[in-house]
Amino acid sequence: MLDQTQSAIATDRTAATRRVAPTKRGNPTLRALRAAWRRPTFLVAAVIIITTCLMALVPALFTSTDPQDCTLSNSRKGVSAGHPMGYDMQGCDYFSNVVHGARTSMEVGVLTALFIFIVALITGSLAGYFGGIVDSVVSRLADVLLGMPVMVASLVVLYQFRERTIWTIVFVLVLFGWAGTMRYMRGSVLQVKNNEYVQAARVLGVSSLTILRRHVLPNAIMPLIVMTTLGVGAGMTAEAGFAILGVGLKLPAYSWGLQIAQASRDGNWQLAPHLMLFPALMLGLCTLAFVVIGETLRDVLDVRSR
Amino acid sequence: MTLPLLQIRDLHIRFQKDGAQLDAISDLSLDIERGSTTVVLGESGSGKSLTAKAVMGLLPPGAEVVSGSVRFDGRELVGLADRELRRLRGDAIAMIFQDALTALNPVTPIGNQIAEVHRIHERISKREAWSRAVASLDAVRIPDAARRAKDYPFQFSGGMRQRAMIAMAITRNPDLLIADEPTTALDVTVQAQILELLDDLRAERNLALLLITHDIGVAAQSADNAVVMYAGRLAERGTIGEILDEPAHPYTSGLLGSVPGPEHRGRDLPTIQGAPPSLDDLPGGCAFHPRCALATDVCRDRLPARTDFTTTHTTWCHHAEEALDGQPAAATV
Amino acid sequence: MTRYALRRVGFMIPTLIGSTFLVYLLVFLIPGDPVLALAGTKRVSPATAEAIRNQYNLNDPFVVQYVKYLGNVLHGDFGTDFNGNSVISTIGTALPYTVALALTAFALKLVIGLLLGAWAGLRPGRTADHANLAFTILFLAVPGFLVAYLVQYVLGIRLHLLPISGVRHGYPVAFVLPALVLALETASPLARLTRNSLHEVLRSDYVQTARAKGASPSRVLWRHALRNAFVPIVTYLGLSMASLLGGSVLVEYIFNLPGLGGSLAQAIQSQEGPVVVGISVFLLLFYLVSALLIDLLYPVIDPRVRHA
């Protein structure tokens, strides 16, 4: 009799680990994504991002000119044949520079967003699911970070770092930026945690980690992904902001931020507006594209989850 | 014989949904006498709430009265200018809703909300309006009315909130009070109190009550007359006694039969098979026929004509006689 | 009410300590000599270096350093720069400019955000709504400094309408463009919030009740809909005011305004580390205190908070 009950419970448990919850994987999410593709703004945004990624990964696809092949006499010349973006201050082909700048800018954006995603995912789910001390500590920390103006804090920290690489900037941005996303994730987890199927799984003795992995996360993760997409643009923008203020990447790196910064100095751009225009245009288009993707995703997912 | 307070004749309301025109209410006729309680019974989607809103002229966007008449105290309301309707609303005709928490303004004290009704309809001072508000709260038996009038809706319990909403509705002594599912959101014991309150108010003020509900228990407790609606049309109409004791429509019998009682002990509760149709997918002929045990070919093809048993008891069924004789068992297949 | 106030203040204090500590940590605990780092590429005489070291008590154990620093700061002593000028005097001179900019930007942003949002909220699904959405997304995505440069270029350089640099022309002329840029940047979340809030409120049950009482459309709108729609909006506005006061470094830098942000940028350029740290810490405190003050105003607007 006891054996029967035990094996029954065991079977139940296996069933629970396999599939107790109506996970939002499969049809609803895929349907939502397919709906997103049908929107023209989404498509345009996707094209922009894919192009930029290509620029970043394989610059040779776009330009064969060496960005360092410069003739001073060409300094600040405008658009001309063979030089669709003119020349920069040193007389180098600007188009080539801008194309090569894509990589760094994208790296900063993507890495920042990625690491914020990871940190927020882990801390948010732990804090939300386990509550107690874990939650107190994490939430307190987040409160401190959220009570600080990010720009100011980042500036003063970056100022102190002599050597500034992409990783320095990513580090600072992630440090001051993870709190907001974490809160979001934590909220999501809290919502899902109180669902009946999760409670059912717990009662059946499924381990916490498994519950987190199979039931809580898949449902809580979509909003996080939306925020991450929006975060890429924010990372790229921040890099440029730092560069303008003089605490960004150090030359001779290539990035749109640096290019904009150099153009802004000494009124260079007022004499030769194309110096500012092209990297600014690329940066603006990219951030806009990421925002459109993020917003569209949020839109399609919102309706579905209603 | 005095003229009924409210006379609805052949009301037809259409409703836009995703580009399609749906008949939300058809051929609705109803009389309400002063000081009486009439209950409109029906499931969700039967059109009962819409009827109430139509009387007030508060149809949701997309819905409009196509034809028919609604006479209040002899005055035609259909087609009346909004400004005139506004004069009646809150003053001669009042309405209360199901969920008092969402139906009351969360950021204004209750006293102000009640006083507002007076200030809308009459030029009186704030102080005068306030004291009338407190008096109304008293009339609905809220203890310590003067102090509680300064409280916000969220500070009241569910039952108290509903009383406050009633206070707001009766404060100007209307002739007709429409209550849309007033007790659905409340506990059973509180329900009884509210219904009792409504009945007392009715007696004290000669107030006509139009109660919208899906709960037969509510109807049995309070009503003088009842009207049963199905899929936007009348199924049966009569005094409460006639409806409860001698239902003459299979739907009514089904509703009554599904009320749990001691005779059901140990057996499955009889229910009406199937579900109410959605308005964009109405069956032809009598809308109830797919779920009806008495249905025959004629029910599928033609709308039932009206059959009057008495001056008060009317039903719309092709097999009215049979329905009258048959009892709950006939509808439970 | 007092309990709420006490709670908020009690909440702010650890946040204050936590954030100043974090910044202090990152500034002074980096590998290498913090004083040299503060000086950047400048050559600093050993005497000056020693003076700075003493100023920050760098010879003391770390926690003591921090406590002393916090103590100084709370007394208004933000240290001195490499030339011995007190940071607090720089802050004092710069503060009015930042406040003027913040208030002007706030006013502009209110007008733009509320009007646009309300217009869209009252006409959901129509052109107004789409325009609002487009505006929101555009200004959300495009970096603030790009808007600044664009505005500078078009209105300042090409059309010569308004000054783009410095405060020569005094208030308000010199502040129009920078305030406009800041307002555009921050109006989008407000416009979107206003639109959503209004839209939700107009479909709520209590609006129906108000109509059932015989209220005229204007009464329904002003006394019921807007009164409620404003609650989340005011909450948001509070936060955003604090953040505007927190200094907009980029805009002040681009338009050459000698406010807190501009002075901070200036200090970065001239490699005056102590000034950078000083102003930053001040801004941090300023932001926290503003947020607290605004927090304390909520119970006035939302009775539910008052009694919670």
Side-chain angles (χ1 to χ4, degrees), chain A residues 269, chain C residues 145-156:
Chain A
W269 63 289
Chain C
F145 52 84
L146 289 187
V147 177
Y149 285 125
L150 191 66
V151 165
Q152 264 191 336
Y153 189 69
V154 171
L155 292 176

Side-chain angles (χ1 to χ4, degrees), chain C residues 35-110:
Chain C
V35 179
L36 287 180
L38 285 175
T41 53
K42 280 211 309 266
R43 210 79 63 80
V44 166
S45 73
T48 328
E50 194 56 37
I52 298 287
R53 224 180 289 273
N54 283 333
Q55 195 191 115
Y56 290 113
N57 304 300
L58 293 180
N59 297 315
D60 287 337
F62 185 73
V63 182
V64 178
Q65 269 179 41
Y66 167 71
V67 173
K68 285 188 180 172
Y69 181 72
L70 190 62
N72 287 336
V73 159
L74 291 173
H75 279 100
D77 175 13
F78 287 84
T80 69
D81 67 10
F82 284 107
N83 296 319
N85 303 319
S86 78
V87 176
I88 188 73
S89 64
T90 316
I91 292 177
T93 337
L95 188 60
Y97 292 102
T98 300
V99 173
L101 179 63
L103 289 174
T104 319
F106 189 74
L108 278 177
K109 157 224 184 110
L110 263 184

Side-chain angles (χ1 to χ4, degrees), chain C residues 266-302:
Chain C
Q266 180 64 29
I268 294 176
Q269 302 285 353
S270 51
Q271 318 247 26
E272 284 284 353
V275 182
V276 174
V277 174
I279 298 184
S280 302
V281 172
F282 179 79
L283 281 173
L284 225 113
L285 294 174
F286 198 40
Y287 177 77
L288 279 172
V289 171
S290 323
L292 176 72
L293 286 175
I294 288 160
D295 244 1
L296 292 176
L297 284 175
Y298 291 160
V300 175
I301 312 140
D302 190 346

